[in-house]
Amino acid sequence: MKRAPSLRKFAAAPHLVWSVLFIIAPLLFVAYYAFTDSTGAFTLSNIAALTSANYRMTFMRSISYSLIATVICLVIAYPVAYIIARSRKHVQGTLIMLIMLPMWMNLLIRTYSWMAIIQDTGFLNEILNAVGLPKIHIINTPGAVVLGMVYNYLPYMILPIYSVIVKIDHRLIEAAKDLGASGLQVLTKITLPLSISGIISGITMVFVPSISTFYISQKLGGGNYDMIGDAIERQFMSNYNYNLGAAMSFVLMILILLCMALMNRFSDDDAETGGMII
């Protein structure tokens, strides 16, 4: 019995080493470069530079696009997750596999596929032209950026909501119906409140990668709609201004941590359901 604590510590050692090397150390490097200049001297100029109108617009655009994409994902994902959760067991497995299938392909391939579909001479406009309808311009617009974010991150909204709904005791629903509740009342009074933790988890899992995305906005937006990820990549890969890039990363990290803390606060009461997986 005395060996048990030592064995647990030994078993946890690889995880601790991994956390220090690949989580804590990179965050410390980001913080160091964010508050120093090229000579290594302490400075707040990097953070102050982010208050310019250009960077404020970039941050606001990233937040607004991410919120729009998150709301659209939620509106689409909840009924899809509900339908899957209420399907038969063997059907659930098939539907979940279909939801996850696009995730097996690289993000770059999925994004290039959407470029081929929505560009002015793409597959979608060819179909519209074939049936006599006017072509529509989608590529290189804010709508194209949001479309790419919704498509790529929609599974991250569906899966946590499904995982919570499928665990809801069906006897609660039967009891509500026996007491005269309508289908809408069952949804709003039983299913929706019990699936809040999955919704919060899905919102977090969509919003966090959406606000930090960069490749989707470059290809589907034509580089016309800078987001935080684009600005960070440009500072590191083109301008070689690691200090300013680290400052952007540090502010973005703070925004993400605040978002996750807020989401976890709302989901604390339902943590035991297993919906919150961040």
Side-chain angles (χ1 to χ4, degrees):
M1 294 296 294
K2 294 181 180 180
R3 291 185 177 182
S6 300
L7 291 175
R8 284 197 293 267
K9 292 180 180 179
F10 180 77
H15 172 73
L16 294 175
V17 173
W18 178 275
S19 299
V20 170
L21 291 179
F22 298 104
I23 299 178
I24 297 177
L27 294 180
L28 292 177
F29 275 115
V30 169
Y32 169 77
Y33 279 103
F35 293 100
T36 57
D37 57 20
S38 58
T39 64
F42 176 81
T43 181
L44 295 176
S45 60
N46 299 317
I47 303 296
L50 301 182
T51 61
S52 66
N54 184 39
Y55 289 123
R56 288 203 307 269
M57 180 62 68
T58 299
F59 274 87
M60 292 304 298
R61 183 184 298 114
S62 299
I63 294 172
S64 60
Y65 285 11
S66 301
L67 288 174
I68 293 171
T70 302
V71 171
I72 295 174
C73 283
L74 178 59
V75 171
I76 297 174
Y78 196 90
V80 172
Y82 183 86
I83 292 172
I84 296 175
R86 294 299 174 226
S87 301
R88 296 182 179 181
K89 291 295 184 181
H90 67 280
V91 177
Q92 289 183 24
T94 302
L95 294 177
I96 290 297
M97 184 191 69
L98 293 176
I99 294 295
M100 297 180 62
L101 191 60
M103 299 170 62
W104 298 352
M105 294 184 291
N106 189 274
L107 174 66
L108 307 183
I109 298 176
R110 300 199 301 268
T111 304
Y112 269 108
S113 298
W114 271 108
M115 291 176 62
I117 293 172
I118 65 176
Q119 63 184 352
D120 293 337
T121 57
F123 182 69
L124 177 60
N125 279 320
E126 290 296 329
I127 294 178
L128 294 176
N129 185 56
V131 299
L133 296 176
K135 294 183 178 181
I136 55 177
H137 177 70
I138 303 177
I139 195 72
N140 299 338
T141 64
V145 178
V146 173
L147 173 64
M149 293 161 65
V150 170
Y151 172 76
N152 282 288
Y153 303 127
L154 182 59
Y156 299 112
M157 182 71 76
I158 294 175
L159 295 178
I161 296 177
Y162 158 78
S163 68
V164 172
I165 294 179
V166 78
K167 296 176 183 176
I168 296 177
D169 192 342
H170 193 69
R171 291 174 296 181
L172 297 175
I173 298 175
E174 292 177 346
K177 290 181 178 179
D178 290 341
L179 293 173
S182 64
L184 181 60
Q185 289 176 322
V186 170
L187 177 63
T188 57
K189 301 295 185 180
I190 304 296
T191 307
L192 189 60
L194 292 177
S195 59
I196 288 297
S197 59
I199 293 174
I200 297 299
S201 180
I203 290 174
T204 306
M205 295 178 68
V206 172
F207 181 78
V208 169
S210 294
I211 197 174
S212 58
T213 189
F214 63 95
Y215 190 80
I216 296 173
S217 55
Q218 290 178 9
K219 296 305 178 183
L220 298 183
N224 300 321
Y225 305 97
D226 253 3
M227 299 186 69
I228 301 176
D230 299 313
I232 293 173
E233 184 201 28
R234 186 162 54 251
Q235 295 301 326
F236 279 100
M237 305 303 296
S238 300
N239 299 340
Y240 301 106
N241 190 342
Y242 301 141
N243 301 97
L244 184 56
M248 295 180 188
S249 302
F250 183 81
V251 173
L252 177 60
M253 179 177 64
I254 296 300
L255 289 175
I256 291 175
L257 290 176
L258 289 175
C259 171
M260 294 178 65
L262 181 63
M263 295 297 101
N264 277 311
R265 179 180 179 85
F266 280 112
S267 64
D268 280 344
D269 294 338
D270 298 315
E272 68 274 6
T273 63
M276 193 65 190
I277 60 179
I278 293 296

